[in-house]
PDB file of all heavy atoms in Angstrom:
ATOM      1  N   ALA Z   1     -52.386  -6.899  -9.358  1.00 71.00           N
ATOM      2  CA  ALA Z   1     -52.323  -6.650 -10.786  1.00 71.00           C
ATOM      3  C   ALA Z   1     -52.539  -8.154 -11.341  1.00 71.00           C
ATOM      4  O   ALA Z   1     -51.863  -9.148 -10.966  1.00 71.00           O
ATOM      5  CB  ALA Z   1     -51.043  -6.133 -11.153  1.00 71.00           C
ATOM      6  N   ASP Z   2     -53.435  -8.337 -12.381  1.00 79.00           N
ATOM      7  CA  ASP Z   2     -53.734  -9.543 -13.118  1.00 79.00           C
ATOM      8  C   ASP Z   2     -52.425 -10.116 -13.519  1.00 79.00           C
ATOM      9  O   ASP Z   2     -52.201 -11.384 -13.252  1.00 79.00           O
ATOM     10  CB  ASP Z   2     -54.644  -9.275 -14.255  1.00 79.00           C
ATOM     11  CG  ASP Z   2     -55.983  -8.939 -13.790  1.00 79.00           C
ATOM     12  OD1 ASP Z   2     -56.281  -8.832 -12.651  1.00 79.00           O
ATOM     13  OD2 ASP Z   2     -56.816  -8.703 -14.744  1.00 79.00           O
ATOM     14  N   GLU Z   3     -51.551  -9.502 -14.213  1.00 85.00           N
ATOM     15  CA  GLU Z   3     -50.284 -10.060 -14.785  1.00 85.00           C
ATOM     16  C   GLU Z   3     -49.317 -10.676 -13.558  1.00 85.00           C
ATOM     17  O   GLU Z   3     -48.839 -11.749 -13.719  1.00 85.00           O
ATOM     18  CB  GLU Z   3     -49.458  -9.106 -15.613  1.00 85.00           C
ATOM     19  CG  GLU Z   3     -50.176  -8.531 -16.804  1.00 85.00           C
ATOM     20  CD  GLU Z   3     -51.171  -7.469 -16.443  1.00 85.00           C
ATOM     21  OE1 GLU Z   3     -51.335  -7.099 -15.282  1.00 85.00           O
ATOM     22  OE2 GLU Z   3     -51.979  -7.048 -17.479  1.00 85.00           O
ATOM     23  N   LYS Z   4     -49.163  -9.953 -12.560  1.00 88.00           N
ATOM     24  CA  LYS Z   4     -48.335 -10.405 -11.367  1.00 88.00           C
ATOM     25  C   LYS Z   4     -49.001 -11.602 -10.689  1.00 88.00           C
ATOM     26  O   LYS Z   4     -48.217 -12.416 -10.336  1.00 88.00           O
ATOM     27  CB  LYS Z   4     -48.134  -9.206 -10.515  1.00 88.00           C
ATOM     28  CG  LYS Z   4     -47.334  -8.069 -10.935  1.00 88.00           C
ATOM     29  CD  LYS Z   4     -47.081  -7.124  -9.834  1.00 88.00           C
ATOM     30  CE  LYS Z   4     -46.165  -5.870 -10.438  1.00 88.00           C
ATOM     31  NZ  LYS Z   4     -45.938  -4.872  -9.374  1.00 88.00           N
ATOM     32  N   LEU Z   5     -50.278 -11.516 -10.626  1.00 89.00           N
ATOM     33  CA  LEU Z   5     -51.079 -12.657 -10.006  1.00 89.00           C
ATOM     34  C   LEU Z   5     -50.721 -13.914 -10.845  1.00 89.00           C
ATOM     35  O   LEU Z   5     -50.392 -15.003 -10.109  1.00 89.00           O
ATOM     36  CB  LEU Z   5     -52.436 -12.350  -9.684  1.00 89.00           C
ATOM     37  CG  LEU Z   5     -53.239 -13.557  -9.078  1.00 89.00           C
ATOM     38  CD1 LEU Z   5     -52.769 -13.733  -7.691  1.00 89.00           C
ATOM     39  CD2 LEU Z   5     -54.725 -13.161  -9.070  1.00 89.00           C
ATOM     40  N   PHE Z   6     -51.025 -13.781 -12.040  1.00 92.00           N
ATOM     41  CA  PHE Z   6     -50.788 -15.098 -12.842  1.00 92.00           C
ATOM     42  C   PHE Z   6     -49.439 -15.536 -12.786  1.00 92.00           C
ATOM     43  O   PHE Z   6     -49.199 -16.655 -12.781  1.00 92.00           O
ATOM     44  CB  PHE Z   6     -51.247 -14.740 -14.425  1.00 92.00           C
ATOM     45  CG  PHE Z   6     -52.722 -15.084 -14.564  1.00 92.00           C
ATOM     46  CD1 PHE Z   6     -53.688 -14.040 -14.353  1.00 92.00           C
ATOM     47  CD2 PHE Z   6     -53.093 -16.183 -15.173  1.00 92.00           C
ATOM     48  CE1 PHE Z   6     -54.970 -14.253 -14.769  1.00 92.00           C
ATOM     49  CE2 PHE Z   6     -54.356 -16.547 -15.450  1.00 92.00           C
ATOM     50  CZ  PHE Z   6     -55.486 -15.551 -15.303  1.00 92.00           C
ATOM     51  N   ALA Z   7     -48.438 -14.599 -12.962  1.00 93.00           N
ATOM     52  CA  ALA Z   7     -47.061 -14.979 -12.921  1.00 93.00           C
ATOM     53  C   ALA Z   7     -46.743 -15.698 -11.483  1.00 93.00           C
ATOM     54  O   ALA Z   7     -45.989 -16.719 -11.486  1.00 93.00           O
ATOM     55  CB  ALA Z   7     -46.134 -13.738 -13.082  1.00 93.00           C
ATOM     56  N   SER Z   8     -47.212 -15.137 -10.497  1.00 93.00           N
ATOM     57  CA  SER Z   8     -46.991 -15.703  -9.110  1.00 93.00           C
ATOM     58  C   SER Z   8     -47.628 -17.082  -9.019  1.00 93.00           C
ATOM     59  O   SER Z   8     -46.850 -18.007  -8.565  1.00 93.00           O
ATOM     60  CB  SER Z   8     -47.560 -14.921  -8.147  1.00 93.00           C
ATOM     61  OG  SER Z   8     -47.514 -15.594  -6.834  1.00 93.00           O
ATOM     62  N   LEU Z   9     -48.764 -17.368  -9.484  1.00 95.00           N
ATOM     63  CA  LEU Z   9     -49.468 -18.627  -9.462  1.00 95.00           C
ATOM     64  C   LEU Z   9     -48.907 -19.707 -10.417  1.00 95.00           C
ATOM     65  O   LEU Z   9     -48.767 -20.923 -10.015  1.00 95.00           O
ATOM     66  CB  LEU Z   9     -50.846 -18.536  -9.676  1.00 95.00           C
ATOM     67  CG  LEU Z   9     -51.648 -17.703  -8.592  1.00 95.00           C
ATOM     68  CD1 LEU Z   9     -53.070 -17.383  -9.155  1.00 95.00           C
ATOM     69  CD2 LEU Z   9     -51.673 -18.484  -7.260  1.00 95.00           C
ATOM     70  N   ILE Z  10     -48.490 -19.272 -11.452  1.00 96.00           N
ATOM     71  CA  ILE Z  10     -47.755 -20.288 -12.508  1.00 96.00           C
ATOM     72  C   ILE Z  10     -46.592 -20.572 -11.868  1.00 96.00           C
ATOM     73  O   ILE Z  10     -46.038 -21.733 -11.879  1.00 96.00           O
ATOM     74  CB  ILE Z  10     -47.537 -19.476 -13.839  1.00 96.00           C
ATOM     75  CG1 ILE Z  10     -48.853 -19.369 -14.476  1.00 96.00           C
ATOM     76  CG2 ILE Z  10     -46.504 -20.380 -14.596  1.00 96.00           C
ATOM     77  CD1 ILE Z  10     -48.898 -18.614 -15.826  1.00 96.00           C
ATOM     78  N   LYS Z  11     -45.714 -19.641 -11.218  1.00 96.00           N
ATOM     79  CA  LYS Z  11     -44.463 -20.140 -10.522  1.00 96.00           C
ATOM     80  C   LYS Z  11     -44.763 -21.125  -9.394  1.00 96.00           C
ATOM     81  O   LYS Z  11     -43.821 -21.924  -9.150  1.00 96.00           O
ATOM     82  CB  LYS Z  11     -43.810 -18.796  -9.907  1.00 96.00           C
ATOM     83  CG  LYS Z  11     -42.495 -18.968  -9.316  1.00 96.00           C
ATOM     84  CD  LYS Z  11     -41.826 -17.702  -8.919  1.00 96.00           C
ATOM     85  CE  LYS Z  11     -40.435 -17.960  -8.133  1.00 96.00           C
ATOM     86  NZ  LYS Z  11     -39.847 -16.703  -7.815  1.00 96.00           N
ATOM     87  N   LYS Z  12     -45.808 -21.005  -8.779  1.00 97.00           N
ATOM     88  CA  LYS Z  12     -46.232 -21.998  -7.730  1.00 97.00           C
ATOM     89  C   LYS Z  12     -46.689 -23.294  -8.298  1.00 97.00           C
ATOM     90  O   LYS Z  12     -47.128 -24.176  -7.525  1.00 97.00           O
ATOM     91  CB  LYS Z  12     -47.290 -21.418  -6.921  1.00 97.00           C
ATOM     92  CG  LYS Z  12     -46.898 -20.291  -5.913  1.00 97.00           C
ATOM     93  CD  LYS Z  12     -47.980 -19.758  -5.170  1.00 97.00           C
ATOM     94  CE  LYS Z  12     -47.514 -18.601  -4.263  1.00 97.00           C
ATOM     95  NZ  LYS Z  12     -46.350 -18.944  -3.342  1.00 97.00           N
ATOM     96  N   GLY Z  13     -46.672 -23.386  -9.624  1.00 98.00           N
ATOM     97  CA  GLY Z  13     -47.014 -24.734 -10.182  1.00 98.00           C
ATOM     98  C   GLY Z  13     -48.425 -24.952 -10.718  1.00 98.00           C
ATOM     99  O   GLY Z  13     -48.771 -26.226 -11.030  1.00 98.00           O
ATOM    100  N   PHE Z  14     -49.201 -24.048 -10.862  1.00 98.00           N
ATOM    101  CA  PHE Z  14     -50.568 -24.069 -11.401  1.00 98.00           C
ATOM    102  C   PHE Z  14     -50.662 -23.727 -12.716  1.00 98.00           C
ATOM    103  O   PHE Z  14     -49.992 -22.723 -13.192  1.00 98.00           O
ATOM    104  CB  PHE Z  14     -51.566 -23.234 -10.397  1.00 98.00           C
ATOM    105  CG  PHE Z  14     -51.550 -23.598  -9.065  1.00 98.00           C
ATOM    106  CD1 PHE Z  14     -50.964 -22.720  -8.017  1.00 98.00           C
ATOM    107  CD2 PHE Z  14     -52.240 -24.683  -8.557  1.00 98.00           C
ATOM    108  CE1 PHE Z  14     -51.087 -22.810  -6.770  1.00 98.00           C
ATOM    109  CE2 PHE Z  14     -52.180 -24.991  -7.136  1.00 98.00           C
ATOM    110  CZ  PHE Z  14     -51.624 -24.109  -6.319  1.00 98.00           C
ATOM    111  N   CYS Z  15     -51.343 -24.464 -13.530  1.00 96.00           N
ATOM    112  CA  CYS Z  15     -51.493 -24.205 -14.994  1.00 96.00           C
ATOM    113  C   CYS Z  15     -52.466 -22.997 -15.218  1.00 96.00           C
ATOM    114  O   CYS Z  15     -53.294 -22.710 -14.386  1.00 96.00           O
ATOM    115  CB  CYS Z  15     -51.873 -25.448 -15.716  1.00 96.00           C
ATOM    116  SG  CYS Z  15     -53.739 -25.965 -15.432  1.00 96.00           S
ATOM    117  N   TYR Z  16     -52.305 -22.407 -16.303  1.00 94.00           N
ATOM    118  CA  TYR Z  16     -52.955 -21.247 -16.750  1.00 94.00           C
ATOM    119  C   TYR Z  16     -54.513 -21.413 -16.600  1.00 94.00           C
ATOM    120  O   TYR Z  16     -55.344 -20.644 -16.148  1.00 94.00           O
ATOM    121  CB  TYR Z  16     -52.703 -20.748 -18.086  1.00 94.00           C
ATOM    122  CG  TYR Z  16     -53.374 -19.469 -18.609  1.00 94.00           C
ATOM    123  CD1 TYR Z  16     -53.086 -18.257 -18.285  1.00 94.00           C
ATOM    124  CD2 TYR Z  16     -54.533 -19.705 -19.358  1.00 94.00           C
ATOM    125  CE1 TYR Z  16     -53.777 -17.098 -18.695  1.00 94.00           C
ATOM    126  CE2 TYR Z  16     -55.198 -18.583 -19.743  1.00 94.00           C
ATOM    127  CZ  TYR Z  16     -54.820 -17.289 -19.446  1.00 94.00           C
ATOM    128  OH  TYR Z  16     -55.612 -16.220 -19.764  1.00 94.00           O
ATOM    129  N   GLN Z  17     -55.051 -22.605 -17.266  1.00 96.00           N
ATOM    130  CA  GLN Z  17     -56.364 -22.854 -17.214  1.00 96.00           C
ATOM    131  C   GLN Z  17     -56.990 -23.053 -15.818  1.00 96.00           C
ATOM    132  O   GLN Z  17     -58.122 -22.689 -15.526  1.00 96.00           O
ATOM    133  CB  GLN Z  17     -56.665 -24.221 -18.095  1.00 96.00           C
ATOM    134  CG  GLN Z  17     -56.411 -23.912 -19.542  1.00 96.00           C
ATOM    135  CD  GLN Z  17     -57.308 -22.852 -20.182  1.00 96.00           C
ATOM    136  OE1 GLN Z  17     -58.491 -22.667 -19.789  1.00 96.00           O
ATOM    137  NE2 GLN Z  17     -56.746 -22.067 -21.132  1.00 96.00           N
ATOM    138  N   MET Z  18     -56.318 -23.708 -14.962  1.00 96.00           N
ATOM    139  CA  MET Z  18     -56.782 -23.814 -13.542  1.00 96.00           C
ATOM    140  C   MET Z  18     -56.781 -22.527 -12.843  1.00 96.00           C
ATOM    141  O   MET Z  18     -57.849 -22.256 -12.170  1.00 96.00           O
ATOM    142  CB  MET Z  18     -55.942 -24.727 -12.817  1.00 96.00           C
ATOM    143  CG  MET Z  18     -56.293 -25.006 -11.379  1.00 96.00           C
ATOM    144  SD  MET Z  18     -55.347 -26.194 -10.408  1.00 96.00           S
ATOM    145  CE  MET Z  18     -55.530 -27.748 -11.465  1.00 96.00           C
ATOM    146  N   ILE Z  19     -55.846 -21.600 -13.140  1.00 94.00           N
ATOM    147  CA  ILE Z  19     -55.944 -20.318 -12.488  1.00 94.00           C
ATOM    148  C   ILE Z  19     -57.166 -19.552 -13.029  1.00 94.00           C
ATOM    149  O   ILE Z  19     -57.767 -18.966 -12.235  1.00 94.00           O
ATOM    150  CB  ILE Z  19     -54.597 -19.561 -12.839  1.00 94.00           C
ATOM    151  CG1 ILE Z  19     -53.333 -20.257 -12.259  1.00 94.00           C
ATOM    152  CG2 ILE Z  19     -54.551 -18.219 -12.222  1.00 94.00           C
ATOM    153  CD1 ILE Z  19     -52.089 -19.711 -12.765  1.00 94.00           C
ATOM    154  N   LYS Z  20     -57.393 -19.540 -14.250  1.00 92.00           N
ATOM    155  CA  LYS Z  20     -58.389 -18.794 -14.896  1.00 92.00           C
ATOM    156  C   LYS Z  20     -59.803 -19.380 -14.275  1.00 92.00           C
ATOM    157  O   LYS Z  20     -60.638 -18.491 -14.039  1.00 92.00           O
ATOM    158  CB  LYS Z  20     -58.348 -18.983 -16.386  1.00 92.00           C
ATOM    159  CG  LYS Z  20     -59.416 -18.109 -17.127  1.00 92.00           C
ATOM    160  CD  LYS Z  20     -59.161 -18.334 -18.533  1.00 92.00           C
ATOM    161  CE  LYS Z  20     -60.243 -17.564 -19.438  1.00 92.00           C
ATOM    162  NZ  LYS Z  20     -60.083 -17.674 -20.807  1.00 92.00           N
ATOM    163  N   LYS Z  21     -59.815 -20.645 -14.128  1.00 94.00           N
ATOM    164  CA  LYS Z  21     -61.049 -21.291 -13.600  1.00 94.00           C
ATOM    165  C   LYS Z  21     -61.414 -20.894 -12.217  1.00 94.00           C
ATOM    166  O   LYS Z  21     -62.554 -20.687 -11.753  1.00 94.00           O
ATOM    167  CB  LYS Z  21     -60.990 -22.837 -13.671  1.00 94.00           C
ATOM    168  CG  LYS Z  21     -62.175 -23.547 -13.210  1.00 94.00           C
ATOM    169  CD  LYS Z  21     -62.049 -25.102 -13.321  1.00 94.00           C
ATOM    170  CE  LYS Z  21     -63.237 -25.757 -12.863  1.00 94.00           C
ATOM    171  NZ  LYS Z  21     -63.059 -27.278 -12.956  1.00 94.00           N
ATOM    172  N   MET Z  22     -60.376 -20.823 -11.401  1.00 94.00           N
ATOM    173  CA  MET Z  22     -60.497 -20.483  -9.954  1.00 94.00           C
ATOM    174  C   MET Z  22     -60.599 -19.041  -9.616  1.00 94.00           C
ATOM    175  O   MET Z  22     -61.209 -18.688  -8.552  1.00 94.00           O
ATOM    176  CB  MET Z  22     -59.414 -21.106  -9.040  1.00 94.00           C
ATOM    177  CG  MET Z  22     -59.263 -22.734  -9.246  1.00 94.00           C
ATOM    178  SD  MET Z  22     -60.831 -23.617  -9.177  1.00 94.00           S
ATOM    179  CE  MET Z  22     -61.269 -23.312  -7.411  1.00 94.00           C
ATOM    180  N   LEU Z  23     -60.065 -18.154 -10.523  1.00 90.00           N
ATOM    181  CA  LEU Z  23     -60.049 -16.774 -10.217  1.00 90.00           C
ATOM    182  C   LEU Z  23     -61.554 -16.180  -9.841  1.00 90.00           C
ATOM    183  O   LEU Z  23     -61.719 -15.503  -8.884  1.00 90.00           O
ATOM    184  CB  LEU Z  23     -59.645 -15.935 -11.275  1.00 90.00           C
ATOM    185  CG  LEU Z  23     -58.023 -15.662 -11.127  1.00 90.00           C
ATOM    186  CD1 LEU Z  23     -57.414 -15.091 -12.479  1.00 90.00           C
ATOM    187  CD2 LEU Z  23     -57.754 -14.812 -10.055  1.00 90.00           C
ATOM    188  N   PRO Z  24     -62.566 -16.622 -10.652  1.00 89.00           N
ATOM    189  CA  PRO Z  24     -63.839 -16.017 -10.319  1.00 89.00           C
ATOM    190  C   PRO Z  24     -64.491 -16.431  -8.944  1.00 89.00           C
ATOM    191  O   PRO Z  24     -65.463 -15.814  -8.405  1.00 89.00           O
ATOM    192  CB  PRO Z  24     -64.836 -16.653 -11.487  1.00 89.00           C
ATOM    193  CG  PRO Z  24     -63.722 -16.858 -12.504  1.00 89.00           C
ATOM    194  CD  PRO Z  24     -62.544 -17.422 -11.881  1.00 89.00           C
ATOM    195  N   LEU Z  25     -63.862 -17.512  -8.373  1.00 88.00           N
ATOM    196  CA  LEU Z  25     -64.421 -18.008  -7.145  1.00 88.00           C
ATOM    197  C   LEU Z  25     -63.603 -17.374  -5.926  1.00 88.00           C
ATOM    198  O   LEU Z  25     -63.707 -17.615  -4.825  1.00 88.00           O
ATOM    199  CB  LEU Z  25     -64.171 -19.427  -6.907  1.00 88.00           C
ATOM    200  CG  LEU Z  25     -64.959 -20.324  -8.029  1.00 88.00           C
ATOM    201  CD1 LEU Z  25     -64.661 -21.705  -7.987  1.00 88.00           C
ATOM    202  CD2 LEU Z  25     -66.396 -20.074  -8.122  1.00 88.00           C
ATOM    203  N   SER Z  26     -62.482 -16.485  -6.097  1.00 87.00           N
ATOM    204  CA  SER Z  26     -61.707 -16.018  -5.211  1.00 87.00           C
ATOM    205  C   SER Z  26     -62.054 -14.602  -4.698  1.00 87.00           C
ATOM    206  O   SER Z  26     -62.835 -13.969  -5.283  1.00 87.00           O
ATOM    207  CB  SER Z  26     -60.189 -15.965  -5.797  1.00 87.00           C
ATOM    208  OG  SER Z  26     -60.112 -14.796  -6.679  1.00 87.00           O
ATOM    209  N   ASP Z  27     -61.398 -14.396  -3.453  1.00 77.00           N
ATOM    210  CA  ASP Z  27     -61.532 -13.021  -2.996  1.00 77.00           C
ATOM    211  C   ASP Z  27     -61.076 -11.857  -3.901  1.00 77.00           C
ATOM    212  O   ASP Z  27     -61.615 -10.790  -3.925  1.00 77.00           O
ATOM    213  CB  ASP Z  27     -60.849 -12.768  -1.710  1.00 77.00           C
ATOM    214  CG  ASP Z  27     -61.367 -13.867  -0.477  1.00 77.00           C
ATOM    215  OD1 ASP Z  27     -62.371 -14.227  -0.620  1.00 77.00           O
ATOM    216  OD2 ASP Z  27     -60.603 -14.231   0.322  1.00 77.00           O
ATOM    217  N   TYR Z  28     -60.000 -12.371  -4.643  1.00 65.00           N
ATOM    218  CA  TYR Z  28     -59.390 -11.436  -5.749  1.00 65.00           C
ATOM    219  C   TYR Z  28     -60.394 -11.029  -6.684  1.00 65.00           C
ATOM    220  O   TYR Z  28     -60.380  -9.918  -7.152  1.00 65.00           O
ATOM    221  CB  TYR Z  28     -58.304 -12.146  -6.276  1.00 65.00           C
ATOM    222  CG  TYR Z  28     -57.549 -11.470  -7.451  1.00 65.00           C
ATOM    223  CD1 TYR Z  28     -56.593 -10.460  -7.085  1.00 65.00           C
ATOM    224  CD2 TYR Z  28     -57.759 -11.554  -8.858  1.00 65.00           C
ATOM    225  CE1 TYR Z  28     -55.812  -9.769  -8.065  1.00 65.00           C
ATOM    226  CE2 TYR Z  28     -57.202 -10.946  -9.750  1.00 65.00           C
ATOM    227  CZ  TYR Z  28     -56.125 -10.084  -9.359  1.00 65.00           C
ATOM    228  OH  TYR Z  28     -55.522  -9.318 -10.486  1.00 65.00           O
ATOM    229  N   SER Z  29     -61.283 -11.902  -7.117  1.00 67.00           N
ATOM    230  CA  SER Z  29     -62.453 -11.677  -8.127  1.00 67.00           C
ATOM    231  C   SER Z  29     -63.265 -10.489  -7.639  1.00 67.00           C
ATOM    232  O   SER Z  29     -63.525  -9.662  -8.414  1.00 67.00           O
ATOM    233  CB  SER Z  29     -63.178 -12.848  -8.431  1.00 67.00           C
ATOM    234  OG  SER Z  29     -64.178 -12.609  -9.246  1.00 67.00           O
ATOM    235  N   LEU Z  30     -63.643 -10.501  -6.355  1.00 60.00           N
ATOM    236  CA  LEU Z  30     -64.579  -9.521  -5.877  1.00 60.00           C
ATOM    237  C   LEU Z  30     -63.941  -8.155  -6.008  1.00 60.00           C
ATOM    238  O   LEU Z  30     -64.665  -7.120  -6.414  1.00 60.00           O
ATOM    239  CB  LEU Z  30     -64.905  -9.780  -4.464  1.00 60.00           C
ATOM    240  CG  LEU Z  30     -65.632 -11.210  -4.120  1.00 60.00           C
ATOM    241  CD1 LEU Z  30     -65.664 -11.331  -2.541  1.00 60.00           C
ATOM    242  CD2 LEU Z  30     -66.993 -11.169  -4.794  1.00 60.00           C
ATOM    243  N   GLN Z  31     -62.650  -8.027  -5.810  1.00 62.00           N
ATOM    244  CA  GLN Z  31     -61.971  -6.742  -5.933  1.00 62.00           C
ATOM    245  C   GLN Z  31     -61.978  -6.293  -7.341  1.00 62.00           C
ATOM    246  O   GLN Z  31     -62.211  -5.087  -7.817  1.00 62.00           O
ATOM    247  CB  GLN Z  31     -60.622  -6.745  -5.354  1.00 62.00           C
ATOM    248  CG  GLN Z  31     -59.763  -5.544  -5.553  1.00 62.00           C
ATOM    249  CD  GLN Z  31     -60.220  -4.401  -4.661  1.00 62.00           C
ATOM    250  OE1 GLN Z  31     -60.839  -4.588  -3.623  1.00 62.00           O
ATOM    251  NE2 GLN Z  31     -59.750  -3.199  -4.872  1.00 62.00           N
ATOM    252  N   ASN Z  32     -61.655  -7.224  -8.228  1.00 59.00           N
ATOM    253  CA  ASN Z  32     -61.405  -6.836  -9.730  1.00 59.00           C
ATOM    254  C   ASN Z  32     -62.751  -6.738 -10.554  1.00 59.00           C
ATOM    255  O   ASN Z  32     -62.673  -6.157 -11.694  1.00 59.00           O
ATOM    256  CB  ASN Z  32     -60.537  -7.891 -10.390  1.00 59.00           C
ATOM    257  CG  ASN Z  32     -59.030  -7.536  -9.942  1.00 59.00           C
ATOM    258  OD1 ASN Z  32     -58.421  -6.819 -10.492  1.00 59.00           O
ATOM    259  ND2 ASN Z  32     -58.663  -8.332  -8.892  1.00 59.00           N
ATOM    260  N   GLN Z  33     -63.773  -7.299 -10.087  1.00 57.00           N
ATOM    261  CA  GLN Z  33     -65.083  -7.127 -10.732  1.00 57.00           C
ATOM    262  C   GLN Z  33     -65.406  -5.591 -10.873  1.00 57.00           C
ATOM    263  O   GLN Z  33     -66.035  -5.247 -11.850  1.00 57.00           O
ATOM    264  CB  GLN Z  33     -66.273  -7.869 -10.066  1.00 57.00           C
ATOM    265  CG  GLN Z  33     -66.176  -9.361 -10.334  1.00 57.00           C
ATOM    266  CD  GLN Z  33     -67.170 -10.100  -9.445  1.00 57.00           C
ATOM    267  OE1 GLN Z  33     -67.912  -9.596  -8.663  1.00 57.00           O
ATOM    268  NE2 GLN Z  33     -67.265 -11.458  -9.596  1.00 57.00           N
ATOM    269  N   LYS Z  34     -65.088  -4.878  -9.864  1.00 54.00           N
ATOM    270  CA  LYS Z  34     -65.367  -3.421  -9.827  1.00 54.00           C
ATOM    271  C   LYS Z  34     -64.529  -2.788 -10.937  1.00 54.00           C
ATOM    272  O   LYS Z  34     -64.902  -1.688 -11.351  1.00 54.00           O
ATOM    273  CB  LYS Z  34     -65.149  -2.848  -8.530  1.00 54.00           C
ATOM    274  CG  LYS Z  34     -65.887  -3.438  -7.368  1.00 54.00           C
ATOM    275  CD  LYS Z  34     -65.523  -2.836  -6.013  1.00 54.00           C
ATOM    276  CE  LYS Z  34     -66.270  -3.432  -4.924  1.00 54.00           C
ATOM    277  NZ  LYS Z  34     -65.922  -3.024  -3.541  1.00 54.00           N
ATOM    278  N   LYS Z  35     -63.385  -3.351 -11.279  1.00 54.00           N
ATOM    279  CA  LYS Z  35     -62.547  -2.699 -12.237  1.00 54.00           C
ATOM    280  C   LYS Z  35     -62.740  -3.160 -13.687  1.00 54.00           C
ATOM    281  O   LYS Z  35     -62.155  -2.836 -14.644  1.00 54.00           O
ATOM    282  CB  LYS Z  35     -60.992  -2.913 -11.911  1.00 54.00           C
ATOM    283  CG  LYS Z  35     -60.696  -2.389 -10.517  1.00 54.00           C
ATOM    284  CD  LYS Z  35     -59.218  -2.713 -10.150  1.00 54.00           C
ATOM    285  CE  LYS Z  35     -58.992  -2.343  -8.858  1.00 54.00           C
ATOM    286  NZ  LYS Z  35     -57.512  -2.652  -8.447  1.00 54.00           N
ATOM    287  N   GLY Z  36     -63.834  -4.342 -13.850  1.00 51.00           N
ATOM    288  CA  GLY Z  36     -63.912  -4.828 -15.138  1.00 51.00           C
ATOM    289  C   GLY Z  36     -62.967  -5.776 -15.625  1.00 51.00           C
ATOM    290  O   GLY Z  36     -62.980  -6.041 -16.881  1.00 51.00           O
ATOM    291  N   SER Z  37     -62.099  -6.362 -14.776  1.00 50.00           N
ATOM    292  CA  SER Z  37     -61.203  -7.326 -15.304  1.00 50.00           C
ATOM    293  C   SER Z  37     -61.909  -8.650 -15.667  1.00 50.00           C
ATOM    294  O   SER Z  37     -62.834  -8.981 -15.122  1.00 50.00           O
ATOM    295  CB  SER Z  37     -60.171  -7.696 -14.102  1.00 50.00           C
ATOM    296  OG  SER Z  37     -59.377  -6.598 -13.834  1.00 50.00           O
TER     297      SER Z  37
END
């Protein structure tokens, strides 16, 4: 889930903008492109 992923990564010390920038390059992105996230 997008919300849980962001919450998890922010807890790990990454800022929102960096998370947003790296998501399209991730394995997670391939799964969510099908869902239109």
